[in-house]
Amino acid sequence: MPHTKVRDLLASASRIAVLTGAGISAESGIPTFRGAGGLWRKFLAEDLATPEAFARDPKLVWEWYDWRRGLIAAAQPNAGHRALVELENLRKEFALITQNVDGLHDRAGSRNLLKLHGDIWIQRCTTCGAQRNEARTPLEEVPPRCPCGGLERPGVVWFGESLPEEILARAQRAATQAEVFLVIGTSAVVYPGAGLAGVAKSAGATVIEINVEETPVTNWVDYSLRGPAAEILPQLLS
Ligand code: BJW
Ligand code: ZN
């Protein structure tokens, strides 16, 4: 049987933490940031997901987000998202740490969810700080404006910006306390998220990676399972 040992580990652990990245939503049709399909027009994520890019050209950055929001709105959670809900339902202690802003874990039904990089459906005013949820896509106006007249920005975390402090602290705690730590569909290059698997390992967790490719963590994790998350995760729970 494939992955038997990992299946046993998941079945017997009472504290599980999971870190997900863009790869878990790939099979829902949402492009990842890096690798094949990671380009939008001629731009890399690193060119767009920064406060500097937004200051220079808010319209361009919003066009990228508006395009992504359209794809996400049309997408559905996949078998990988659903398997993580099933895993949460079996466990006393379970934390799902995600770098994704797409909301597909929420839509699948995950409850103890820690969003490290914010939420693409939230807009925040750069003038008065007001936050609101905006589910419409495409946006009526790009870039969108707050009722106060200020320019709104996406409620996400860009390069050089701090992650939400309390959420990061909870993620670090979950990584430290986990018996089993799953790293799924992330290139593991963006910090501090990428460091959480190492935090878990140092604290004694068994670390399991699921990815279609090798990453910087592959050579030191306890198990690295190669393949699409939407195929492998359901197999681990069956
Ligand atoms: C599949 C699959 C399938 C495909 N099944 N798998 C320490 C060292 C070096 C640098 C730093 C450091 N600490 C901080 C930094 C700076 C920076 C950083 O990490 N830079 C590195 C890139 C060098 N970090 C930050 O700036 C962070 N802030 C911070 O640390 O504040 C304090 C500070 C500031 C300045 C200096 C020092 C400290 C903030 C990071 C914010 C990242 N934001 C983004 C955009 C979010 C909003 C949006 O979505 O638009 O977050 S960038 C983008 O990358 C997004 C993602 O969440 C993030 C990670 O990407 P992810 O999820 O891993 O996706 P991919 O595409 O990279 O990989 C997909 C993977 O899936 C691949 O491996 C595929 O093989 C796999 N895959 N299909 C399974 N079907
Ligand atoms: Zn405002």
Side-chain angles (χ1 to χ4, degrees):
M1 280 302 248
H3 323 316
T4 307
K5 180 69 190 156
V6 172
R7 227 166 42 197
D8 293 347
L9 280 164
L10 287 174
S12 60
S14 56
R15 287 187 308 279
I16 296 176
V18 181
L19 173 70
T20 62
I24 194 154
S25 295
E27 286 147 283
S28 295
I30 302 180
T32 59
F33 294 93
R34 296 165 190 86
L39 275 183
W40 174 75
R41 299 191 190 164
K42 59 185 183 330
F43 302 100
L44 297 166
E46 279 78 357
D47 300 334
L48 295 160
T50 71
E52 293 76 20
F54 187 68
R56 207 182 310 124
D57 196 343
K59 188 162 185 293
L60 174 76
V61 171
W62 264 117
E63 280 168 0
W64 181 49
Y65 280 95
D66 204 25
W67 170 73
R68 288 172 56 202
R69 285 161 56 129
L71 294 177
I72 293 164
Q76 298 300 327
N78 65 52
H81 298 103
R82 288 194 298 272
L84 292 176
V85 178
E86 210 179 300
L87 193 58
E88 178 166 21
N89 289 341
L90 297 173
R91 292 297 137 214
K92 285 204 188 78
E93 283 185 52
F94 179 92
L96 176 50
I97 306 159
T98 189
Q99 300 170 90
N100 298 349
V101 300
D102 58 28
L104 291 182
H105 286 306
D106 308 78
R107 281 166 60 193
S110 286
R111 294 180 305 277
N112 193 16
L113 182 58
L114 301 170
K115 295 184 197 174
L116 293 180
H117 294 162
D119 187 320
I120 201 168
W121 300 104
I122 291 175
Q123 294 176 191
R124 188 167 75 240
C125 177
T126 58
T127 301
C128 74
Q131 284 208 159
R132 65 187 178 105
N133 260 289
E134 173 58 85
R136 269 175 296 187
T137 172
L139 289 163
E140 284 176 356
E141 187 190 9
V142 174
R145 300 240 158 224
C146 174
C148 87
L151 176 65
E152 286 183 313
R153 59 162 285 173
V156 301
V157 181
W158 285 324
F159 285 112
E161 296 184 324
S162 305
L163 276 67
E165 212 175 308
E166 173 63 23
I167 290 174
L168 179 60
R170 284 168 60 194
Q172 277 159 341
R173 215 154 41 231
T176 306
Q177 292 169 354
E179 289 169 46
V180 172
F181 191 88
L182 289 167
V183 199
I184 306 171
T186 176
S187 58
V189 295
V190 176
Y191 284 82
L196 291 169
V199 169
K201 178 76 179 160
S202 304
T206 302
V207 179
I208 300 156
E209 174 178 57
I210 301 173
N211 200 303
V212 291
E213 287 175 12
E214 290 192 5
T215 76
V217 307
T218 304
N219 60 9
W220 61 258
V221 296
D222 297 285
Y223 299 89
S224 188
L225 308 181
R226 195 71 59 245
E231 275 176 31
I232 293 186
L233 275 167
Q235 288 169 8
L236 297 179
L237 296 175
S238 60

